[in-house]
């Protein structure tokens, strides 16, 4: 029986079933596991990054049922049954980059690359939802993604270039 002192420390495991990058996966994880922890530590998809403890940086952004979400702010248990897309699922089998990935490379939209997976996922989500986004709308939509080393100018240019390629 839980005493009041340890009631918040005890966890149980839960079977979480997901579709990740088109493949069904499942794992028993403690019920306080964050989605980003399951993606990185259990599924070993380490392209999704953790850059903060406060849901601010966006490095952990993945697609969940067609929407970009910060996977550090989602419990794996609450994602049970979801369709998840990570940066590893964007390129084609032969290694051809997704147009948004190619645009970040071409436009020098990255320097260290730590923020880039989250930037790319958020940018694809933006293009899917607002393909005619103005420069200001692109800047506004990336407010939740923090880059600490590249000028945002090149990132915005990359999003515009990637958008054009996606819409071509
Ligand atoms: Fe998720 Fe920073 S690690 S927002
Ligand atoms: Fe280094 Fe964005 S490229 S944090």
């Amino acid at each position: 029986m839980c005493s009041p002192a340890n009631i918040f420390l005890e966890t149980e495991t839960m079977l979480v079933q997901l579709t990740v990058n088109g493949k069904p996966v499942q794992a028993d994880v403690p019920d306080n596991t964050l989605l980003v922890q399951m993606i990185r530590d259990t599924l070993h998809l380490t392209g999704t990054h953790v850059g903060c403890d406060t849901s601010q940086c966006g490095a952990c952004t993945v697609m969940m049922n067609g929407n970009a979400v910060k996977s550090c702010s989602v419990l794996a248990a609450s994602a049970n049954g979801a369709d998840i897309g990570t940066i590893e699922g964007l390129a084609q089998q032969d290694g051809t980059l997704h147009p948004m990935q190619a645009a970040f490379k071409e436009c020098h939209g990255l320097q260290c690359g730590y923020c880039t997976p989250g930037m790319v996922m958020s940018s694809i989500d933006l293009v899917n939802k607002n393909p005619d986004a103005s420069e200001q709308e692109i800047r506004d939509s990336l407010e939740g993604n923090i880059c600490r080393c590249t000028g945002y100018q090149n990132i915005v240019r990359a999003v515009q270039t990637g958008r054009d390629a996606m819409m071509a």
Side-chain angles (χ1 to χ4, degrees):
M1 204 164 75
C2 295
S3 70
N6 69 9
I7 192 168
F8 295 113
L9 299 177
E10 295 198 357
T11 58
E12 296 184 3
T13 60
M14 176 179 169
L15 178 65
V16 176
Q17 297 177 303
L18 304 170
T19 301
V20 178
N21 300 331
K23 292 186 191 140
V25 297
Q26 62 178 43
D28 267 314
V29 294
D31 56 13
N32 61 357
T33 301
L34 298 172
L35 179 58
V36 69
Q37 293 172 317
M38 181 169 172
I39 290 171
R40 285 180 55 84
D41 302 338
T42 307
L43 304 178
H44 307 298
L45 294 170
T46 53
T48 300
H49 294 160
V50 177
C52 71
D53 286 325
T54 51
S55 298
Q56 285 179 317
C57 76
C60 63
T61 304
V62 299
M63 301 299 285
M64 178 168 155
N65 296 329
N67 295 302
V69 298
K70 292 180 176 178
S71 58
C72 73
S73 64
V74 178
L75 284 171
S78 68
N80 191 31
D83 189 10
I84 303 293
T86 72
I87 193 77
E88 288 89 347
L90 291 184
Q92 294 176 20
Q93 294 278 341
D94 67 0
T96 304
L97 295 177
H98 183 283
M100 191 61 76
Q101 291 175 301
F104 269 73
K105 184 178 173 194
E106 179 189 327
C107 299
H108 305 289
L110 66 143
Q111 204 171 140
C112 77
Y114 201 86
C115 70
T116 312
M119 287 282 183
V120 168
M121 301 312 278
S122 293
S123 300
I124 292 171
D125 188 48
L126 167 68
V127 173
N128 287 340
K129 291 175 178 162
N130 184 7
D132 299 319
S134 65
E135 178 176 338
Q136 190 57 50
E137 286 173 322
I138 291 171
R139 289 181 184 275
D140 291 347
S141 79
L142 292 178
E143 252 180 19
N145 292 78
I146 295 172
C147 179
R148 295 175 173 88
C149 62
T150 303
Y152 281 86
Q153 191 58 40
N154 282 2
I155 291 174
V156 171
R157 212 174 286 138
V159 176
Q160 291 168 324
T161 302
R163 179 253 312 274
D164 293 347
M166 283 173 69
M167 303 312 290

